[in-house]
Structures are given as structure tokens and as C-alpha cells.
Amino acid sequence: MAHLSAETMADGARLAGCYPERRSALIPLCHLAQAEQGYLSEEAMEDIAALVGVTPAEVRGTASFYDMLHTEPVGRYVLAFCTNIACMLAGAYELLEHAEELLGVHAGQTTPDGLFTIEEAECLADCDRAPCVQVNHRFVGALDSESLDLLVADLTAGNRQTEIPQHGVLCRVRRAVDLPARRGAAAGARSEKTTFAGGAGDGGAGS
Amino acid sequence: MITAAAPIVTARLSAYRDSHTLERYLATGGYDALRKALSMTPEAVHSEVNTASLLGRGGAGFPAGRKWGMKRPGPTSYLVINGDESEPATFKDHLLIERDPHQVIEGTIIAAYAIGAAAAFIYCRGEFALGLERLTQACNEAYDYGALGANIFGTGFSLDLVIHPGAGAYICGEETALIESLEGKRGFPRIKPPYFPAAIGLYGEPTIVNNVETMSNLPWIVLNGGAAFAGLGVGSSTGTRLFALSGRVRRPGWYELEMSKTTFRDLIFDDRLGAGVAGGGELKAFIPGGVSAPWFGPEHLDLGLDQDAVGKAGSMLGSGSVVVMDDTTCAVRAAWRITRFFHRESCGQCTPCREGSGWLEKVLVRIEAGEGREEDLDLLVDACDNIAPELGWPPQQTTICVLGPSIPSSIVSGIRMFRDEFLAHVKDGGCPFPPDRLASGAAKGARL
Ligand SMILES: Cc1cc2nc3c(=O)[nH]c(=O)nc-3n(C[C@H](O)[C@H](O)[C@H](O)COP(=O)(O)O)c2cc1C
Ligand code: SF4
Ligand code: FES
């Protein structure tokens, strides 16, 4: 029995079928699991391992390399403060310190109510809008301490839930097709190790 | 002087609020270039790109057409588009992905046709949630429209495209690390040779890796011809380019400019562009092409935005991102923050990069905190010399990838240009710029 929901497992199986080798879906599947659970639980990693055909240890070992994949629970809202060069020159560290005081936790920590995690981020590629802040990877603006207070109040009151889904929900648009071109061109060309098998139906290995 | 006459090649749609939709894309000639390309032979498309002399926009500036020509022949090859954009102060691919995803996709299909790829992948930086949604939506729409999938536009050409999210790791922008990551592994760069992607890439098959902006140029090149593109710019720097301007400047933003024709002075000071230093202060230094690049001073302002000219002057145009520092900017703190970035993002495979970045960061924190010694300056330069012997530019490589040898750029620039300022930190026992301390969290853990 899978621990992740049937829907996530079906989506995951389908995604895994979109790659010549299933393992390629490992990171996209970690995102799907985080969308459901907010982080990557042990059980989710077992499910992912089964879907892509590796061991749970390999999933953990891979996931731990990536900043966006959390193997411990984080807050519903992860506030990422870019402090890299352009944002630092616009006062990012002062803003981050203000956030730490406001929420009573340091960068890397989560508030006791589980609502907020603060992160010191690297450049988020919005450097013309510095200091740049993202909440759950959604750009919320170049903030000063006042607008940060307002943002936190808004999030606490639950006012921005449509715009900013809970942590882990990354891409809300699903791929609508499998690989319609594959059958024609590529299928015959690859050697035995090809695992082009895919599509919604046959991807459920291990679920 | 800015040449207002230059056509807009890649940022065409950015003025429209609905620029990301298929409707808007089609209303402005979208997918016409793909139809035209598919009516040509793949060789003819490749030849137009060669004529255009389109330089890769990912940082290394290698000609796209030449790279395609280096692909090892074989029955199966792949095209991988690099949308991992994480070089600090670089934000042009982010813009192209969010505002004009169909253009990225159309360029990708054209390139896949020209090189005969079995499938294409766009690796999009994970932190670009909106970008991922827009790319995925555009990909779905392109299938629906018949621009992707089996028998595209009835021409017999077929292609599948997968939008692949990253998960937060700068090193995955390096092309071999990107391939590892796309294979579902940690983003560890592979050693070259033998792992040049064009020879041994994704799943061991020949693979072309190109940048998002490189792809975004292709529709225009196909529609207008390689010669028209080569007619823009000067020498090997052809076409236009998206320049990302940030830091201590009045109007930070991205500007599409004809290559070479505009100078750094124009970009930073022209009222239609950067409009001068923020707060009316003096320009102290600027970084010409992403934080991996050595810094320039005011004496370099009249250089053109030209790959060769910037290279000859000892730095690089790199990712096309210019960071302005002014007289309120502390050179030690700037060098520290850039070094901290490399330390955090080193993948850890090579000792000079992994250990070197950590030591350098610690010494810089010590100087910034006013606890440094005069010898620390030599110590920094020595350590840099161990990472990139002789400290030349382009740097000598002692490591698997060029992240390591990029670490010294900011430190060596800072000490060369602002030695007195570094020494003042030591002599006065503190930083002369406000705030006179590093934020507590930032300094913590980095102390010796
Ligand atoms: C540490 C490092 C990070 C890089 N990051 C990126 C990146 O984010 N985006 C990118 O297109 N190229 C990046 N590159 C360059 C790629 O390795 C590769 O040269 C490029 O994607 C090729 O595309 P182009 O030929 O179209 O420029 C990076 C290189 C290194 C060494
Ligand atoms: S140079 Fe640094 S980032 Fe590159 S492979 Fe070596 S340790 Fe990793
Ligand atoms: S430096 Fe902060 S978003 Fe780029």
C-alpha cells in the first residue's frame, strides 16, 4: 500500500512515464509528494523509490542535495529572503533581521505554531526588485519592514491562500499529455536499456 | 549612444499583460518561425544559425551553431534547455520563461528539428513556481495546437517536450550537473573530457545543452534570416542581448540592447536605462557579467557590451548581468557575500573549491568584523592562487567544473582595486560603512 494518495501516485506514475528512464522523475516526484504533505516524509520517499525503481536511501541521498526538498516538516509558509549581492545592497540583511525579531525565530527555523519558516536564500532572479522576498516560491515583492509586517499579518489571517498555496505546492498546472511523438520517432532507435514504457496505465510499478 | 533603431528580438511581448498566452503569441506571429523552419531542411536551419553567429547566452558564449555541429552522430540524441538561472544578479531567463514561454518552446522545437533530437527537455529552476506553471501551460497548449507531439503541423516531424523542475542548487546550472540532475541524481558535475554533453550526455547519448535565451533568439533568426541577425552588433558579438542591471542604480531592470553598440556607461547612466547611481552617489565599481566575473572600475565604463572587448579587458560578459556598487558599498562585504554564495553552493567534489571557499569566507568575515590582520590580505590572495593558479582571467582550472576557479574573482578584484579599504578594516578594527557589523545570523558559523 502506498502512503501517498492514490491521486499523487497516479500523477507520479504518469510523470515517470514521460522520461526515457524512470529515475529522471525522482525530483519532480519529490515535488509532488511535498505538494501533498508539505515536506518529504520517510513514507513518501519509499513510495517515490518504488515508482522510479531505486532504493529509499537513494531518494533520500538525492533529495538531501537540493535546498527545496525538506526531509523534516517546515512551516506552512516558507519565507525566503534573498541576501545575495543586489539584495544585500538594498538592505536585505536588515530586513531579514527584522523578520527574525518579528517571528521570534532565526533563519532556518520554524515558528512553534508551524506557520512560518524563515530562510536566508541565494539570488532568486528578481534582483531588479530588491530586497526580494518569496513565500513558498511565489514572489511577494521588494519589501521593507512595514510591508513585511503587513504580509505576515495577512498570511496569519489566511488572506492570501489562493495566491500562495501551502508550502510544497509548486506547479499547479499538470502536464496534459504523455509522449505522443515517442511512438513514431524514438521508440525503435534506442537500445535495450530503453525504458520508454510509460503513459497513465502502465506506470504503477510498485504502487 | 544607444541605437534605438535595433529591433527587439527576444523581449518582444513583455509589454503585454497576457504575453504568456498562446492567444497573444499567435496574434503576434507566434509559431510562424516553426512553420518556416519545418519547410526548410534541418541543415538549412542549422546553416542560418551558423550565419547568425548566435553566441550561447548561458555564460560561456560559445557559438550555438558550432556546438550543434559537434554532436556525436548516433541514432538517439537529446536537446536539453538550461533554465536553471541562478547566477547571482542574473534575471533574464526568469523573465523570458514567465513572460514569453511560447517563444522559449518554439525556439526549442526549432533547435530540436535542426539537430534531429529524439526528445527535448526544458530544465526550469525549481524556485520559479510561476515560470513552471506558465511553461507547463504553454507546453500543453503547444501540443494542443499541433506544434508538439506526433506529425507537427502535418510535416511528419515529431517531438516530445518535457518541462522538468529543478529543486534548488546553483551547481545544476553547470551543464553536466544539469544532466545528472535530470537523470534523477545529485547535481555533481562530470569530468570533461570525456563527458562533453555533445559526446556523452543525457543517458549516455549525445546531448546539446543550450540556454533559454539562446533558444528565444531562434524564432527571430528563422523568420528574418541569420544574416539580419549577424548584421546587428559588432564582430563576433552579434544580435541583441538582454542585460540585467541591478545594485546601486536608479532604474534597475532588464534591457534588450544591440550587442557592442552600447557601453557600460550608457547602460548605467542613460536616463532611458539605468539612469545613474542610486542616491546620486559615485560609481565605485561594477561587475560586468555575473558574480563569477572579475570587477571593473570607472575606467572601464566606456567599454562596449561586447564579449571580446570585455574579455580582453580581463573579465567576462558572462550571463549579461551588471551589478553597480557605489560609494556606500563596502568592498569587503561585497566580496564576502559573493564568496559565501560559492561556499554554500560548492557541490563538494573538489578540495580546492569545497575547502577553499570555506576558508576564504572565514577570513573575509574576520576582516569585516574588524578582527583581521594585515597578513590576511596575502592569505586571501594565496588561497585564491591555490584555487586558480596565477589568478589570470580566464582562470586556470584545478577542479572538475569552473565554479571553483570563479571563486577568486571578487576577492582578487576587491583587493586589487580597494586594498586601502581592506586595510582600513584591519587598522580601524571595524567596517567603515554602515551598518558597522554583519547581520548576526550571517556572521555566525563563519567565524574562525
Ligand atoms: C557553476 C556554473 C553555473 C552555470 N549556470 C548556468 C545557468 O544557470 N544557466 C545557463 O544557461 N548556463 C549556466 N552555466 C553554463 C552551462 O554550463 C552551459 O554552458 C550553458 O547552459 C550552455 O548554453 P549556451 O551555449 O546556450 O550558452 C553554468 C556554468 C557553470 C560552470
Ligand atoms: S569545482 Fe566546486 S562545484 Fe565544481 S565540481 Fe568541483 S567542488 Fe563541485
Ligand atoms: S540578488 Fe536578490 S534576487 Fe538576485
Side-chain angles (χ1 to χ4, degrees), chain B residues 171 189 345-351 353-354 399-405:
Chain B
I171 193 57
E345 298 299 329
S346 165
C347 84
Q349 288 189 101
C350 321
T351 312
C353 174
R354 182 189 63 238
T399 50
I400 295 173
C401 88
V402 300
L403 185 150

Side-chain angles (χ1 to χ4, degrees), chain A residues 15 18-31 54 58-69 81-90 93-94 96-97 100 106-107 109 119-130 134 136-139 165 169-186 188-191 193-194 196, chain B residues 75-76 78 85-91 94 98 118 121 123 125-130 132-134 136-137 139-140 143 149-150 158-169 171-172 180-188 202-205 245-248 252-254 287 291 323-325 329 333-334 336-338 340-341 344-345 347 435 437-442 444:
Chain A
L15 257 183
C18 285
Y19 294 90
E21 295 184 5
R22 303 182 73 82
R23 180 167 182 157
S24 281
L26 195 151
I27 291 166
L29 292 190
C30 288
H31 284 307
V54 299
E58 280 175 287
V59 175
R60 172 180 275 282
T62 306
S64 65
F65 184 82
Y66 294 94
D67 290 346
M68 289 175 70
L69 303 177
F81 294 85
C82 170
T83 57
N84 211 305
I85 184 82
C87 293
M88 180 181 83
L89 297 182
Y93 276 110
E94 290 70 34
L96 175 58
E97 281 193 318
E100 290 177 330
H106 287 296
Q109 298 176 335
E119 282 180 352
E120 181 193 353
E122 293 300 346
C123 174
L124 298 168
D126 274 312
C127 331
D128 53 342
R129 300 180 285 181
Q134 282 187 349
N136 297 348
H137 308 298
R138 266 92 187 156
F139 176 77
V169 176
L170 191 60
C171 180
R172 289 167 294 182
V173 182
R174 288 277 174 273
R175 183 181 177 86
V177 293
D178 298 316
L179 300 177
R182 181 194 71 220
R183 282 158 194 99
R190 280 186 52 87
S191 49
K193 68 171 182 166
T194 305
F196 253 63
Chain B
T76 303
Y78 295 108
E85 190 174 63
S86 324
E87 174 80 9
T90 308
F91 50 95
H94 192 190
E98 278 188 3
F121 301 85
Y123 186 110
R125 182 171 174 190
E127 287 91 340
F128 296 170
L130 179 63
L132 277 162
E133 288 181 344
R134 292 204 167 153
T136 307
Q137 179 73 31
C139 180
N140 286 342
Y143 270 104
S158 301
L159 181 75
D160 280 315
L161 170 68
V162 176
I163 309 298
H164 183 92
I171 193 57
C172 291
E180 284 281 307
S181 181
L182 183 50
E183 291 182 356
K185 302 171 191 155
R186 297 175 153 237
F188 285 146
L202 186 62
Y203 314 123
E205 305 286 359
L245 179 65
S246 67
R248 299 288 301 155
W254 49 269
I287 313 179
V291 301
V323 185
V324 175
M325 304 185 229
T329 305
R333 199 173 301 183
W336 159 75
R337 186 60 188 85
I338 293 168
R340 172 174 170 76
F341 166 77
R344 284 178 92 179
E345 298 299 329
C347 84
R437 59 180 174 83
L438 281 176
S440 56
K444 215 174 51 201

